[in-house]
Amino acid sequence: MPQDALTGWDDETTAEAYASFARTYPMYSASSRDLAARARLAESRTVVDLCGGTGATAEAILALAPPRAEVVSLDNAPAMQRIGRRTLSDPRLSWVTARAEELAEHASAGGVDAVVCNSAIWKTDVPAVFGAVRRVLRPGGRFVFNIGGGFAGVTHPDAQARSVSPTLGSLIEQIAAREYGTPPASVSGTRRLPLTAVRRYLTAAGLTLIEADVTAQHTTMAERRAWLSIPVFARPEHGFSYDQQMAILRKAYAQTRPDDVTVTSWLVVVAQLNGVQG
């Protein structure tokens, strides 16, 4: 599991930085709108925003859900939810502080029309979460989530055709290696969650895969820099203070152009209970 899956989220500085980023840049709002649309919420009565953070995805769900729908944002970081409660006020929205794996303890069995999870499912105990989702979904209910391309092992054609090189991440590694003697970062195979594994876990949980798309998200270097400035995402991951990470980031960013486009790939998955088409 990645470092940011385990530590750092229940921190005021991280939560404030994350919320500021989500308000300023379209990364999370755009992906949230896409996931909410795929969940088909027009007739929903209860929707869960899983690993909901400060509420970016809940906001997208609320925009599509019926006026009488109930939306539950579940996250295990109180600091993130405190900001969400301040900035997103809607009588249809409630906040539950709990781990994703504990979903079934906080939602009625068979009473949820859709579960949406943006940018977080690979940070959980995936089989346990899929099982919990299956227990709370109604027949025909949808489970919609995305997986970062690096973790899913997928690459959108745009990521090959339009991404600039070197990337901000590779420049950070080069500077860390040159100035601090840090070995190049390696990607562990245990971090990967490919579609074959997703399908296997869904089947084991009693859920049916009905859609799997590889999408591309286009961002600028300026947006990427802002994302890497959030403490929990700062690089290099280990052995550096935040001040050192930001010093390296400034040097790396100085070697790029703010408007250069960087493309990230995502695997977007839609599953349904019992294969009932809705």
Side-chain angles (χ1 to χ4, degrees), residues 27-266:
M27 175 179 167
Y28 289 111
S29 58
S31 55
S32 293
R33 288 193 298 270
D34 176 56
L35 296 177
R38 294 172 189 260
R40 297 186 181 179
L41 303 175
E43 304 298 325
S44 296
R45 290 173 294 179
T46 304
V47 183
V48 173
D49 171 22
L50 194 64
C51 304
T54 59
T57 302
E59 187 172 9
I61 292 170
L62 288 164
L64 295 179
R68 295 185 179 180
E70 175 191 7
V71 179
V72 178
S73 185
L74 185 146
D75 195 278
N76 69 342
M80 299 285 281
Q81 290 193 327
R82 280 194 292 272
I83 292 176
R85 291 173 187 270
R86 292 201 309 263
T87 59
L88 185 57
S89 178
D90 191 302
R92 295 174 293 166
L93 176 62
S94 59
W95 303 83
V96 173
T97 305
R99 297 169 62 245
E101 294 82 358
E102 299 167 351
L103 169 63
E105 300 174 22
H106 300 278
S108 300
V112 173
D113 298 282
V115 176
V116 181
C117 183
N118 189 2
S119 308
I121 199 69
W122 69 90
K123 304 172 185 178
T124 69
D125 180 340
V126 175
V129 169
F130 284 11
V133 170
R134 189 261 179 262
R135 289 194 290 277
V136 303
L137 279 181
R138 64 163 175 79
R142 288 197 160 198
F143 179 28
V144 185
F145 58 93
N146 54 13
I147 304 170
F151 296 99
V154 299
T155 303
H156 191 276
D158 282 4
Q160 296 175 327
R162 295 195 58 185
S163 285
V164 297
S165 183
T167 65
L168 199 52
S170 64
L171 288 169
I172 288 172
E173 286 188 28
Q174 291 171 18
I175 294 168
R178 183 176 66 246
E179 299 187 7
Y180 296 90
T182 303
S186 61
V187 179
S188 171
T190 60
R191 292 186 177 189
R192 300 177 69 84
L193 184 59
L195 182 58
T196 51
V198 170
R199 190 189 301 272
R200 184 172 68 251
Y201 293 144
L202 289 172
T203 299
L207 298 166
T208 301
L209 176 69
I210 62 173
E211 185 179 324
D213 289 338
V214 178
T215 65
Q217 192 167 64
H218 300 73
T219 61
T220 63
M221 281 291 181
E223 181 173 355
R224 189 67 178 170
R225 179 196 187 186
W227 186 80
L228 287 167
S229 297
I230 300 171
V232 77
F233 296 136
R235 299 294 183 267
E237 288 188 33
H238 305 293
F240 291 84
S241 69
Y242 182 69
D243 287 343
Q244 289 174 322
Q245 290 170 326
M246 292 303 97
I248 294 172
L249 177 58
R250 284 192 295 272
K251 292 178 182 179
Y253 184 68
Q255 300 179 43
T256 70
R257 293 179 298 183
D259 293 333
D260 279 346
V261 174
T262 179
V263 182
T264 55
S265 304
W266 292 85

